[in-house]
Amino acid sequence: MISIDKISAYDGQEVRFGAWLFNKRSSGKIQFLQLRDGTGFIQGVMVKAEVTEAAWEAAKSLTQESSLYVTGTVRKDDRAPGGYELTVTDVDPIQIADEYPITKKEHGVEFLMDHRHLWLRQPRQNAIMKIRSQIIFAVHQFFHQEGFYKIDPPILTPTSAEGTTNLFHTKYFDEDAYLSQSGQLYMEAAAMAMGKVYSFGPTFRAEKSKTRRHLIEFWMIEPEMAFCTHEENLEVQERFVEFVVQSVLQNCRAELEVLERDISKLEQVKAPFPRITYDEAIERLHEKGFDIPWGEDFGAPHETAISEDYDRPVFITHYPTKIKAFYMQPDSERPEVVKCADLIAPEGYGEIIGGSERITDPELMLERMKAEKLDLVAYQWYQDLRQYGSVPHSGFGLGLERTISWICGIDHVREAIPFPRLLNRLYP
Ligand code: 4AD
Ligand code: MG
């Protein structure tokens, strides 16, 4: 099958392929057909004097987003956006599209979101989805080459991993169940079985907050490593994020250009990444005029203020124990903080990774679960991991859509996923 992205292989040849009419201009004697097939965009030029009457009329009948088979000769043209143009000799309409709702004029976001199934066809959205696809591929490439096994945790779960405030409840026959907030607890079991593992799946949080960074359904990559310390965990994270960014830079130049992304900002994303402690971050925030007491969690403005001091992602480590999840390993010298890190993206994109070393000691784990009032019966299997050959281990979770937003330079996560689920949106 011939596709626009591979059209250079057909220079000088006559080709026929399926496409949609993205846009059309006509001078009376020449019709300029902007064609797209998902893989790319190309301009087709039809000259009235050189084609049959039927072909000319067929081209004239095409409305925006009509589908067709087009026949023409591929010509190299340095002025054309993709470097090639098509001298069209015939068009064969498949369906003449109704009046298309998305036009060249500015549309409001809610309108575009209502038409997300069509909005995806626009060049910007197309570019974002291609970068998303490249990132997904790079994630698998990275963990495969680092010797990790891909493990799939369940999506329907009887318990929560990240607290109960944003759980998505559902019935599981006669029992209660929740959509997975994180595969982590299962990935810990998998790490004890397989050593180094990662998951990559949808996660769900009934977030009541309506922000640029929150989706109800998002995708998370969660590696978990046996015998891995906090420090080693950070090294995997910075290598991983560098790999993903560099992979996009190498493979998605054209898409980054469509998005008008400042590539120099991405080129700086090289390991090692700076590390500061929560204590240092608090001090820094005070210097910058924030009035945040020690012990409080950071919000978006705090993360942005910290990230401003760096040209690449920055780790904030050792958060207060009381604001982090029950499974995190307290620092042996200072049990009021845990061996954890959030990775904050540059340019104000906020937290893209949350990770930590996990508690090894069975007694301490039990104590923490009791303090958090967790149902010990429901978590017995998790406690078993500490009772049968417990080892130091660490892992993290990278949010796919936040990472895409940052790399693409877009200002809301809703454009980083094909069909976003938001507080006010379950359609389309
Ligand atoms: O920091 P979080 O909550 O960490 C965990 O879930 C751990 N169990 C991960 C682990 O250690 N295995 O979430 C991890 C990341 C965040 O840093 C963020 O990038 C993303 O998931 N994230 C969201 N992305 C979009 N919408 C939301 N509502 C998100 N909540 C978290
Ligand atoms: Mg977090």
Side-chain angles (χ1 to χ4, degrees):
M1 249 169 55
I2 292 171
S3 58
I4 294 174
D5 62 333
K6 300 281 187 300
I7 212 78
S8 62
Y10 300 92
D11 190 18
Q13 295 178 42
E14 188 177 72
V15 293
R16 182 176 190 265
F17 58 90
W20 290 268
L21 184 81
F22 176 63
N23 203 355
K24 190 171 71 175
R25 278 187 302 123
S26 177
S27 76
K29 289 192 180 119
I30 304 180
Q31 296 188 68
F32 297 95
L33 311 174
Q34 309 287 342
L35 302 166
R36 60 167 198 90
D37 72 346
T39 73
F41 294 79
I42 192 166
Q43 172 159 275
V45 182
M46 184 185 257
V47 180
K48 191 173 185 185
E50 292 171 5
V51 299
T52 64
E53 180 73 19
W56 181 259
E57 289 304 319
K60 258 178 93 173
S61 75
L62 296 172
T63 54
Q64 186 184 354
E65 287 305 314
S66 288
S67 48
L68 64 141
Y69 290 105
V70 62
T71 308
T73 306
V74 179
R75 302 219 184 276
K76 194 162 166 50
D77 183 343
D78 293 332
R79 293 160 306 171
Y84 289 86
E85 228 181 43
L86 194 70
T87 303
V88 179
T89 48
D90 203 5
V91 302
D92 191 357
I94 301 169
Q95 192 254 336
I96 299 298
D98 292 356
E99 192 178 334
Y100 197 62
I102 302 179
T103 59
K104 272 189 168 165
K105 70 165 198 248
E106 288 273 319
H107 294 288
V109 168
E110 288 308 312
F111 177 87
L112 290 170
M113 290 306 259
D114 284 342
H115 294 86
R116 182 61 173 165
H117 51 295
L118 303 177
W119 190 22
L120 281 173
R121 303 179 184 193
Q122 299 302 109
R124 270 183 64 84
Q125 302 305 316
N126 182 279
I128 296 167
M129 289 305 126
K130 283 180 182 164
I131 291 174
R132 179 183 170 106
S133 180
Q134 179 63 38
I135 291 174
I136 292 169
F137 179 66
V139 166
H140 289 299
Q141 236 184 339
F142 177 82
F143 287 109
H144 182 75
Q145 79 192 27
E146 296 250 339
F148 284 65
Y149 298 103
K150 167 78 160 59
I151 294 284
D152 303 307
I155 289 172
L156 288 166
T157 62
T159 53
S160 88
E162 297 297 318
T164 51
T165 52
N166 57 18
L167 277 178
F168 235 112
H169 176 257
T170 181
K171 288 308 279 187
Y172 190 78
F173 306 106
D174 293 335
E175 287 179 72
D176 287 307
Y178 309 97
L179 298 182
S180 176
Q181 280 173 319
S182 157
Q184 183 196 318
L185 307 190
Y186 296 96
M187 296 311 289
E188 289 184 54
M192 299 305 128
M194 314 285 294
K196 292 198 290 185
V197 294
Y198 74 106
S199 66
F200 192 160
T203 41
F204 306 85
R205 297 192 189 181
E207 308 268 13
K208 290 284 155 53
S209 46
K210 214 172 146 184
T211 78
R212 306 190 294 123
R213 300 172 178 186
H214 287 91
L215 290 163
I216 305 299
E217 180 180 307
F218 65 99
W219 288 67
M220 187 156 47
I221 295 107
E222 295 187 273
E224 194 69 33
M225 298 156 279
F227 308 104
C228 175
T229 62
H230 167 68
E231 185 52 39
E232 290 166 328
N233 193 20
L234 302 194
E235 286 163 14
V236 176
Q237 291 172 47
E238 60 195 4
R239 270 211 309 284
F240 172 46
V241 170
E242 172 183 335
F243 183 87
V244 167
V245 170
Q246 296 305 319
S247 160
V248 171
L249 277 173
Q250 272 163 32
N251 297 288
C252 301
R253 283 288 164 151
E255 288 75 19
L256 291 168
E257 228 162 82
V258 169
L259 299 170
E260 294 171 26
R261 183 68 170 109
D262 181 351
I263 284 173
S264 69
K265 294 246 161 61
L266 297 177
E267 282 167 342
Q268 278 146 13
V269 182
K270 291 269 170 68
F273 297 161
R275 294 141 163 73
I276 65 168
T277 62
Y278 172 89
D279 294 0
E280 287 164 343
I282 285 281
E283 247 174 65
R284 187 86 56 90
L285 288 168
H286 289 166
E287 284 161 18
K288 287 176 186 267
F290 286 91
D291 171 31
I292 178 173
W294 193 97
E296 210 163 272
D297 206 357
F298 296 145
H302 306 113
E303 289 175 355
T304 301
I306 297 291
S307 75
E308 273 165 8
D309 296 346
Y310 302 95
D311 66 350
R312 63 195 75 196
V314 52
F315 288 113
I316 304 180
T317 70
H318 300 88
Y319 282 72
T321 310
K322 64 174 187 192
I323 56 168
K324 286 292 183 185
F326 73 96
Y327 51 71
M328 293 189 182
Q329 177 73 52
D331 189 286
S332 49
E333 258 116 70
R334 281 181 73 199
E336 71 277 17
V337 299
V338 278
K339 290 182 177 176
C340 74
D342 280 0
L343 185 66
I344 313 299
E347 303 171 70
Y349 282 93
E351 177 199 332
I352 51 170
I353 291 183
S356 68
E357 189 173 319
R358 325 303 191 187
I359 291 175
T360 313
D361 179 46
E363 303 302 322
L364 178 59
M365 180 54 89
L366 205 55
E367 203 181 288
R368 291 290 290 128
M369 292 205 290
K370 283 182 183 158
E372 297 284 322
K373 300 198 169 51
L374 300 183
D375 174 356
L376 297 183
V377 175
Y379 286 86
Q380 182 56 53
W381 70 267
Y382 185 65
Q383 181 64 11
D384 277 356
L385 305 176
R386 274 75 191 170
Q387 310 280 155
Y388 300 105
S390 190
V391 301
H393 62 288
S394 303
F396 63 92
L398 172 116
L400 178 65
E401 287 76 16
R402 289 201 193 162
T403 305
I404 294 169
S405 301
W406 161 48
I407 293 177
C408 290
I410 54 183
D411 44 61
H412 199 299
V413 281
R414 65 185 162 220
E415 287 183 54
I417 186 163
F419 296 97
R421 308 288 86 153
L422 299 163
L423 191 54
N424 62 347
R425 181 171 294 281
L426 188 58
Y427 177 92

